[in-house]
Amino acid sequence: MTMATLRQQLFRVKPVPQQGESPESDLKRTIGLFSLTMIGVGSTIGTGIFFILSESVPVAGPAVIWSFVIAGLVAGLAVICYAELAGSVPVSGSSYSYAYATLGELPAMGVAACLLLEYGVAGAAVAVGWSQYVNQLLFNLFGFEIPHALAYAPEEGGIVNLPAILLLVMCCFLLVRGTGESVVINTVMVCTKIGVLLFFVLVGVTGWNVDNFADFAPFGFSGVVAGSGLIFFSYVGMDAVATAGDETKNPKKTMPRALIAALIIVTTVYVLVAVAALSAQPWQEFEGQTAGLSAILENIVGAQWPGTVVAAGAVISIFSVTLVSIYGQTRILFTMSRDGMMPKLFGEVNPRTLTPVKGTIVVTVVIAILAGFIPLNFLAEMTSIGTLVAFVVVSMAVIILRVREPNLERGFKVPFYPVLPVLAIIGCLWIISNLQVITIVVFLIWTAVILGLYFIFGRKSSVLGKQRAEQERIGGSDPAGGKL
Amino acid sequence: MSIVVGIAPSQDNRPAVELGIVLARSYGHRLVAVAIDSAAWPMSPALFESEYQKKLRNVAEAALDEVRALLPDDIESECLVHSARSSRRGLLEMCQKENAFRLVVGPAADGKPGRIALGSVSTGLLHSASLPVALAPVGYRVVPEARLRRLTAAYSGSSTSADLILGAAVVSAESGVPFRIASFAPRSRVISAAGVGLDVESSVIDEWANVIRRDTDEILCSIDRLQIKPGETDVAIGTGSDWESALSAVEWEDPEIMMLGSSGLGALKRVSLGSHAMRILQHSPVPIVVVPRRAKSDYTSVAV
């Protein structure tokens, strides 16, 4: 009996179920261009826009408008690469599964580290933003605010961010009860947030003051790029479009069109919100402003009600983003657990509720700790770096797969190959290089921790590894070959 | 023991009677069709009241006459009018008096064809009965001389429903009816914005099915240890995009019944069916026998 070499272990790839072989291929192609575009718009808008302006405007100035466009373009490039992988590797589990099926087990764990960071920290980041709007709403409605000590992270002068933790507990409760209810509530909240943002733009432009744009790019181009890094996580929802590849009608045409349409709509709404906000208030005032959009409207109109509407809308819609983040996190951990890469706990399904109850609770507790004690801007950057690195890996996987499996049937092919994947990689690396050094260091430490976990736990308990060992034992051929 | 069939005057009683006949024949019990004369309040001597009561009794008798025409010769049967303050109370009194094995009721008048529809009397019975209640779907019919070809017990994944299954296994063993354990789940729609792929819930359902298979294997082992055990046992798992397709995903015999337990965990006493059980009841293509909370201990004790 020959043991697989370390290299063979680390780069063993999970065989891709061929068309007609897997239960997933039973999925019907039901999603058309409009629905797919709406998936992209609904899942993206609102992720960061309600509170990211107060983080990014101080870095980029009014030129933050360009930061939105750059972040949108880079996200679009990466998402087009996502679309090709989603069309050729019909598995669920997001880019972790794509990496496992194309690059191997170790790179898949690296991507998983990014995804876990992205979903976990995004959930925490939006929960922190939520608490600002809850406070604004409470003050407008009842003249009462949660004490500073209980509404801010220690670094911001508080003790614990209690509303953020409360929000996470509510989301957890909903997800544990069942996915059906969560889907309905999510849809209602997505519609609410789009309505509220349009309301903000309509009221916001009435306070137009062109002087606010005079000092357009106070920190030059590097400020614009740094702003993009902060904003990038506002576009993470875009990959939802790509993951619908297996259920899209005529994916070759529909996916790129839906992606481009969703990107244009989302970027337009973001830019409109940013322009309306910047026109109404000098850029210097954004720094440290909590519940920014509400505050801006209150200043313009001189009355509380428009701000209250926005705050209420934000409270509802940010809830949906947190819900989605926890949901995404639990399902990725679920997929990993089934592959033997994570403890079994995350793959256990409660037979009564049909949801991974234990996994959801663990995820919520971890995100709640992050949300309760870490400030918002750091969380936003951490989310972005996770997403950016995952996008880099996906773009690389497209190139690797084209070389290694040129004849694989692809539902959708990246146009202008290899220019677009290369541009996507360069774009993501460029934004990463403009993030704070501490963010990159923490990210590297986090990735090292997850890879360490892989070496201690995942490498031995890998389901694929056990299957290969079994094949080897009974004299099967090519035990660690790893062809698709 | 007997199978008591509740007859509602001026309604289509045929579904309940046909189900009662199949149960009586399969279990070898007597069938008692009971129409409740529910205006039996302490009457005032006024003529009007007793006239009214007489009319009601006539209506009940007329309903029983129709039922008599349906009853076959191969089973022992009897038709009775019983006076009580309410239909629910009257039926429960008769069940006690007749030492009933099952109480059978028909669907509400406005139900969908082929589906079970709960009316006010059947809902009340599910809350207060201390014996299993069989519910017939709208328009239920069986071929002459039909016997139950299978008894399916729905398993929800809880320990209380596992106890119930053992009880159901004993019942089917005693009557020589093949036995099956079935679990159902709809595949939830995914939250599309989560970016984890729209088919991720399929894996969750697959894992749920694994858990159910593991549990049902254990239950089958317990059935094997029973003193009296069914001749044939089977396990079925039905999933689909919604409850209706989940229930149609498994095959059904004709005639077959499904046993369903009331939720043992409900905080409110008046809620006797859990949300899953209620969905199964609403979409079942076969008659359902609900074991109400009050009946559970008696029902499950036979297996212990």
Side-chain angles (χ1 to χ4, degrees), chain A residues 92 119 183 247 327 331 352, chain B residues 189-190 194 198-199 201 276:
Chain A
S92 62
Y119 282 101
V183 169
E247 290 175 72
Y327 173 81
R331 293 323 189 252
R352 282 196 60 78
Chain B
R189 279 185 302 148
V190 76
L198 294 183
D199 50 359
E201 285 305 315
H276 280 204

Side-chain angles (χ1 to χ4, degrees), chain B residues 118-163:
Chain B
L118 291 177
S120 58
V121 174
S122 46
T123 308
L125 286 170
L126 295 188
H127 296 152
S128 51
S130 52
L131 80 165
V133 180
L135 303 157
V138 177
Y140 183 69
R141 298 286 184 274
V142 285
V143 292
E145 297 177 20
R147 280 170 185 276
L148 278 184
R149 294 178 66 175
R150 185 164 52 199
L151 191 157
T152 290
Y155 175 60
S156 71
S158 69
S159 58
T160 45
S161 69
D163 290 348

